[in-house]
């Protein structure tokens, strides 16, 4: 057990609030003047609104107003005012902007009433007449119209330039494989649906929003509606899951603000589960991977081409193919990524965006190559181990992937695997073992934090970052407790409030490294403040003590060479006549370090499946995920993150599929009855192994964990299914009909 709290297995400090139901979410904050808005969704995929019939809806008792594009509050119409921190190039969708319909399920009206039930009933009575145009929702139908995005998305690197001669090396390779891969559209389905409660306070707005970045939401509202910054405050203290769906402000926020401004009263808009399928999703992506190798399986050529869907109004982009030039050593690599416009809402970042998609195709192809070269799939990965990032020609800041392979294989029992497909059975089940590699960038963002000590000896850590269930409250409390030598119960963490020190959106697995580093720096500055006041006390035993000559522990600051000479924090503040002392710090990634090194997390994922030979039903019976992600701040919450990622990977491999009706241009299974996700019965034994890894990318030596758990998980399951059945399914999910 490590000294202090950091590195241990600390239960969530916010856990009691959540399990007792006392934690309040965006759609739960009360107000005396609260009205309720219900969204009316478009029933067509493309066209324009000709007219509304609102008579029956308006006659419903309790209806206050019905907003459409004809009578909404004024919004700014220039593209820059619509942008947010996570927006791709293009003009973001603004609800009720005009009569055009650009995707099925688009909000076309908002009914506001005194009660939710009245608003719901009236919304069902709204009639809309459309001029309908034919829409296309299948990216395969737009393959020939694919294009290279003219403007690149901030933070998403385009494919690196080709190196070597991939085509020539592939043609000359004695062992080669090539295949097309596809993952079904997946929709973000967090437990908490998106909701916004906007409090009207005499012209000022207090917004409770389900979002991953309160400062981003505040800027969006201020810019879109032309409001003074001081008139808007955004709070999101608890988020019931998001997986990326809360990175951007979603349309219920805009509608709630519109209604509050129009009515000059508080308004809540909560989306239904059906409406959760009417915006962001993991983009449909067509991928082709071609690998050429020598007789020993060593790679000589990698080609990876992808065409991803985007909306008609934005160029959403991900780093899909870049991983194929990074994970394995190869001198001849050609990568391409293009977009094709379809008539849907803009796709969005969904847990490990780009990597989950691209690494699946790469790792499935690597598995195919192993069988073609007659080399054990794990051994093939070791033979092609990359000691350097060849995309950017940099050394890795740290990389313990080899140890992940070794420890994961040992725990999983990989050596007991029979090499031939369909060679392992147990009763009526075919048994298969698969392996895949995972990789995700260890990102960081500029971040601010404040540390404050109050007269009762309590420490407060404050920043505007979010906790979407990852454990941010807990790790910030751990960092603060260790920095000031306090019990963790004496640390109060305040986050999810735009009035707190700046934080970007919480995503990309950068929150722990960024917010944690800022908090640690703020605590270091606070220690100096405490010592300053302790030294100034009359007859202070610390009068001449330097900061590096004292220790902060048990609520006291003491000399290292004379522990008896100590002063409590409470005494120091009282003597200074202060009720509170605080310090603020701004963290920014080390640019020189980033220029010199490539920083990534890595994983080795091993999966065992059992396939009923007669029914084609696949069960994932064991998974071992070995992770190298720098220092682990909290063994308990870290394991939880990897477990969640693996479960999502199982869902991708076997269950999740948003099914479009290509005639109607809409997703048809927009509910939990027909959109399948793993249930308890689908999740068996998952073992998480953290491999020690030292890294200096940030003061804490940590790398994010939110994404790496899912990357490679679906590929490991799919590869295990091939080993069990001898049937290669390249389009996920692997449903029984594809195996029979």
């Amino acid at each position: 057990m490590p000294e202090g709290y950091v590195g241990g297995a600390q239960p969530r400090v916010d856990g009691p609030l959540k399990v007792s139901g006392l934690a309040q979410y965006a759609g739960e904050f009360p107000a005396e003047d609260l009205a309720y808005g219900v969204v009316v969704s478009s029933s067509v995929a493309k066209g324009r609104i000709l007219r509304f019939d609102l008579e029956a809806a308006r006659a419903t008792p309790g209806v206050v107003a019905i907003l459409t594009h004809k009578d909404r509050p004024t919004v700014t119409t220039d593209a820059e005012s619509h942008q947010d921190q996570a927006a791709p190039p293009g003009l973001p969708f603004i609800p009720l902007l005009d009569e055009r319909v650009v995707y099925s399920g688009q909000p076309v009206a908002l009914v506001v009433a005194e009660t939710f039930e009245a608003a719901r009933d009236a919304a069902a009575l709204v009639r809309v007449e459309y001029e309908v145009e034919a829409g296309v929702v299948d990216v395969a139908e737009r393959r020939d119209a694919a294009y290279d995005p003219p403007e690149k998305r901030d933070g998403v690197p385009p494919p690196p330039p080709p190196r070597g001669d991939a085509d020539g090396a592939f043609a000359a390779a004695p062992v080669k494989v090539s295949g097309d891969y596809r993952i079904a559209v997946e929709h973000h389905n967090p437990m908490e649906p998106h909701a916004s409660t906007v409090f009207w306070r005499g012209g000022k707005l207090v917004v409770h929003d389900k979002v991953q970045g309160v400062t981003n939401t505040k800027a969006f509202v201020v810019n879109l509606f032309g409001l003074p910054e001081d008139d808007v405050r955004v709070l999101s203290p608890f988020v019931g899951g998001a997986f990326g769906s809360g990175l951007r402000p979603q349309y219920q926020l805009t509608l709630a603000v519109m209604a509050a401004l129009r009515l000059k009263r508080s308004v809540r808009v909560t989306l239904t589960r059906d409406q959760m399928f009417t915006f962001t999703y993991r983009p449909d992506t067509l991928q082709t991977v071609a690998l050429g190798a020598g007789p020993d399986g060593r790679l000589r050529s990698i080609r990876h081409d992808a065409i991803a869907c985007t909306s008609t109004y934005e160029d959403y982009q991900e780093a899909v193919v870049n991983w194929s030039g990074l994970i394995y050593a190869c001198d001849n690599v050609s990568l391409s990524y293009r977009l094709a416009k379809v008539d849907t809402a803009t796709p969005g970042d969904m847990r490990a965006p780009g990597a989950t998609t691209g690494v699946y195709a790469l790792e499935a192809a690597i598995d195919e190559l192993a069988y073609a070269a007659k080399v054990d799939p794990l051994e093939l990965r070791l033979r092609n181990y990359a000691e350097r990032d060849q995309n950017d020609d940099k050394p890795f800041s740290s990389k313990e992937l080899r140890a992940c392979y070794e420890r994961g294989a040992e725990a999983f029992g990989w050596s007991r695997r029979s090499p031939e497909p369909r060679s392992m059975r147990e009763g009526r089940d075919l048994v298969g073992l698969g392996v895949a590699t995972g990789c995700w960038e260890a990102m960081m963002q500029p971040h601010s934090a404040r540390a404050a000590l109050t007269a009762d000896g309590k420490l407060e850590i404050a920043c505007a970052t979010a906790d979407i269930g990852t454990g941010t409250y807990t790790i910030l409390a751990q960092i603060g407790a260790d920095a000031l030598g306090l019990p963790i119960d004496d640390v109060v963490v305040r986050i999810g409030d735009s009035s707190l020190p700046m934080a970007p959106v919480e995503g990309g697995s950068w929150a722990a490294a960024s917010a944690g580093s800022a908090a640690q720096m703020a605590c270091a500055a606070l220690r100096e403040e405490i010592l300053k006041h302790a030294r100034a006390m009359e007859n202070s035993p610390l009068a001449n003590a330097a900061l590096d000559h004292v220790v902060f522990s048990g609520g006291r600051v003491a000399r290292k060479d004379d522990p008896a000479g100590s002063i409590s924090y409470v005494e120091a503040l009282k003597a200074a006549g202060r009720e509170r002392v605080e310090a603020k710090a701004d963290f920014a990634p080390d640019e020189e370090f980033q220029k010199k090194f490539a920083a990534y997390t890595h994983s080795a994922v091993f999966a065992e499946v059992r396939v009923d030979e007669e029914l084609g039903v696949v069960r994932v019976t064991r998974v071992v995920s070995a992770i190298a992600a720098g220092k682990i701040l909290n063994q308990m919450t870290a394991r939880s993150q990897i477990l969640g990622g693996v479960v999502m990977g199982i869902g991708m491999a076997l269950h999740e599929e948003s099914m479009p009706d290509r005639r109607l241009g809409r997703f048809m299974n927009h509910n939990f009855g027909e959109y399948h996700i793993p249930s308890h019965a689908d999740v068996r034994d998952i073992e998480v192994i953290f491999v020690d890894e030292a890294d200096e990318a940030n003061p804490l030596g940590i790398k994010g964990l939110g994404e790496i758990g899912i990357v490679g998980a679906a590929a490991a399951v799919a590869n295990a299914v091939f080993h069990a059945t001898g049937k290669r399914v390249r389009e996920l999910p692997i449903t029984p009909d594809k195996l029979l």
Side-chain angles (χ1 to χ4, degrees), residues 364-378:
I366 286 287
D367 198 64
E368 295 192 41
L369 181 66
Y371 286 97
K374 295 182 172 55
V375 178
D376 178 86
L378 180 57

Side-chain angles (χ1 to χ4, degrees), residues 69-193:
H69 66 277
K70 296 182 177 181
D71 58 359
R72 56 162 174 76
T74 302
V75 296
T76 51
T77 55
D78 59 291
E80 287 188 6
S81 295
H82 292 204
Q83 294 284 352
D84 63 89
Q85 291 178 15
L91 181 63
F93 172 77
I94 300 298
L96 313 189
L97 189 63
D98 53 35
E99 79 281 0
R100 290 175 300 166
V101 175
V102 292
Y103 69 89
S104 181
Q106 166 186 323
V108 294
L110 181 74
V111 178
V112 185
E114 296 292 351
T115 66
F116 168 76
E117 291 77 11
R120 178 195 60 196
D121 294 347
L125 299 175
V126 171
R127 297 292 177 260
V128 188
E129 183 180 339
Y130 302 96
E131 179 183 278
V132 182
E133 300 175 36
V136 175
V137 295
D138 185 355
V139 68
E141 295 182 34
R142 292 281 173 87
R143 184 194 295 266
D144 293 340
Y147 61 96
D148 184 57
E151 183 183 351
K152 306 305 179 187
R153 182 186 177 196
D154 289 345
V156 178
R163 59 178 184 259
D165 179 10
D167 290 340
F170 181 80
V175 182
K176 60 188 75 174
V177 297
S178 179
D180 296 328
Y181 304 88
R182 193 174 185 178
I183 299 170
V185 167
E186 297 177 301
H187 275 85
H188 306 69
N189 271 296
M191 186 179 297
E192 176 199 12

Side-chain angles (χ1 to χ4, degrees), residues 397-461:
S397 61
S398 58
K399 184 179 181 182
E400 293 296 338
L401 176 58
R402 196 183 300 276
C404 291
Y405 288 138
E406 293 170 355
R407 290 189 57 188
E410 181 180 1
F412 185 73
W414 182 262
S415 61
R416 296 192 294 274
R417 173 183 176 273
S418 173
E420 293 299 318
R422 297 185 67 89
S423 61
M424 299 178 68
R425 291 177 175 268
E426 186 172 304
R428 60 189 284 173
D429 289 339
L430 299 169
V431 179
L433 309 182
V435 63
T437 304
C439 184
W440 180 253
E441 188 176 359
M443 293 182 278
M444 292 172 287
Q445 296 288 335
H447 216 295
S448 299
R450 183 178 66 233
L453 186 73
T454 53
D456 58 358
K458 303 287 186 181
L459 172 67
E460 178 189 280
I461 304 292

Side-chain angles (χ1 to χ4, degrees), residues 236 291 547:
S236 186
L291 305 177
L547 187 65

